[in-house]
Amino acid sequence: MLRDRGFFLVLLLAACGGSSSPPPAEPAARTAADLGPMCHRYYARQATCTDDYLSAVLDVRIELDMPKGIGERVKTEGRDVVLKEARTYWESDMEPAKIDAMCEAMATRTPADQLERLLKQGDACEAAADCKAFAICAVETERSFIASGATHH
């Protein structure tokens, strides 16, 4: 009888993997559904870092001259005037319903071949230590959008 219990114990330990731990689980693959929450975190950080973000956007717009003549406007009207106007547009774009719509669109309309790139860019910006670093990262991810002349509103 003891011999049978020993055999049973060996079978039980073998079936349960013995005393060794199971291998660590692979992290779940991220999907487009991960873009929605990341998008909301991105806009929340943008709101926390508004001054640095708007300044970085203006710098890129001046560099790209987009919209055409913005660099000249800054020279003639002053950076503060142009930033104040940009803040007005930005505040309109940051309404919760608009952010929800943008993030929903990102989560449902992003082509699969762009998913990993966007998630990596989002990770990098989220990891930025301070507002200035976040703003630079965020604006670099938006550079092609800015260069296209598209607007959020």
Side-chain angles (χ1 to χ4, degrees), residues 31-132:
T31 67
D34 295 313
L35 288 174
M38 179 178 277
C39 176
H40 279 92
R41 292 189 306 270
Y42 175 91
Y43 282 110
R45 182 91 182 262
Q46 221 183 67
T48 301
C49 300
T50 304
D51 292 339
D52 287 312
Y53 174 75
L54 291 177
S55 183
V57 169
L58 182 57
D59 290 344
V60 170
R61 288 189 174 283
I62 292 168
E63 174 192 330
L64 299 173
D65 196 31
M66 187 57 67
K68 188 118 181 92
I70 194 164
E72 192 57 37
R73 272 195 68 207
V74 169
K75 286 179 188 172
T76 59
E77 297 174 33
R79 185 176 180 89
D80 290 342
V81 169
V82 176
L83 275 172
K84 184 176 179 182
E85 182 181 297
R87 181 178 287 275
T88 301
Y89 287 121
W90 181 85
E91 287 172 355
S92 170
D93 287 344
M94 294 299 285
E95 291 175 8
K98 287 183 180 181
I99 291 173
D100 288 345
M102 286 186 284
C103 292
E104 175 66 19
M106 179 176 266
T108 58
R109 297 183 190 154
T110 297
D113 65 337
Q114 293 181 28
L115 177 64
E116 193 55 34
R117 177 185 59 81
L118 288 173
L119 288 168
K120 284 182 180 179
Q121 287 176 333
D123 290 342
C125 292
E126 282 187 302
D130 59 28
C131 281
K132 187 169 180 73

Side-chain angles (χ1 to χ4, degrees), residues 42 46 53 57 125 133-143 146:
Y42 175 91
Q46 221 183 67
Y53 174 75
V57 169
C125 292
F134 169 78
I136 291 167
C137 180
V139 171
E140 282 306 309
T141 68
E142 298 170 16
R143 181 178 280 276
I146 294 168

